[in-house]
Amino acid sequence: MARNYTPRDIIDLVARIREAANLLIERELLARGLAGVVPAHGLVFAFLFRQNEPVPIKALVQQSGRVKSTVTGMVNTLEKHGYIYKQDCSGDGRSTLIGLTEKGKAIRKDFEEISTLLGEQVYGDMPQDDRQHAIELLTVIEQNLNR
């Protein structure tokens, strides 16, 4: 007989998946000597790797869906470790621009390799249709929680 899973079971499973993913990323960051970088910083790097010039922090906040204080904390940490820089926006004194330093640009290959490894571990030999279905179901759950 099939088990009747509760919402708590789903939340627990998602939490365990996130923890396992973060441990894999942390292990890879450590092995590559990327001091000061944690899994949560991936969203900052992913965003900045797609930019050709410095961008307002508010663009990162909007793109990430995270609150401004969280994003600002990540930006400050990455600046402290030399991966990104901040500069005042010449057109708007209230806005701060961010961009990758040479040190930040230099970790792109590591970032891509870790992302590829994570993707391989997440999906394993799961068929493509199942991958798509899993994403669709998780998206519905996320939408339900954000109502």
Side-chain angles (χ1 to χ4, degrees), residues 58-77:
K58 66 182 177 184
L60 174 58
V61 171
Q62 291 168 343
Q63 174 71 28
S64 69
R66 303 277 177 97
V67 296
K68 185 178 179 188
S69 61
T70 298
V71 173
T72 300
M74 288 190 281
V75 166
N76 289 341
T77 298

Side-chain angles (χ1 to χ4, degrees), residues 63-128:
Q63 174 71 28
S64 69
R66 303 277 177 97
V67 296
K68 185 178 179 188
S69 61
T70 298
V71 173
T72 300
M74 288 190 281
V75 166
N76 289 341
T77 298
L78 291 172
E79 179 187 34
K80 180 178 121 186
H81 288 281
Y83 294 104
I84 66 172
Y85 64 89
K86 294 191 292 191
Q87 68 185 45
D88 292 332
C89 179
S90 60
D92 181 357
R94 299 168 297 160
S95 185
T96 300
L97 302 177
I98 56 172
L100 291 167
T101 62
E102 289 307 312
K103 181 179 179 180
K105 292 175 185 174
I107 71 163
R108 185 176 193 145
K109 183 175 186 263
D110 291 307
F111 179 87
E112 291 170 353
E113 289 173 352
I114 293 169
S115 295
T116 297
L117 177 62
L118 180 62
E120 290 169 353
Q121 292 287 318
V122 165
Y123 287 125
D125 60 0
M126 184 187 297
Q128 187 64 40

Side-chain angles (χ1 to χ4, degrees), residues 30-41:
L30 182 63
R32 295 160 190 267
L34 298 176
V37 180
V38 298
H41 294 151

Side-chain angles (χ1 to χ4, degrees), residues 33-48:
L34 298 176
V37 180
V38 298
H41 294 151
L43 71 93
V44 177
F45 285 113
F47 179 76
L48 291 176

Side-chain angles (χ1 to χ4, degrees), residues 18-36:
R18 180 178 175 167
E19 184 175 348
N22 281 343
L23 286 172
L24 182 147
I25 295 167
E26 288 170 357
R27 194 170 51 245
E28 288 297 316
L29 291 169
L30 182 63
R32 295 160 190 267
L34 298 176

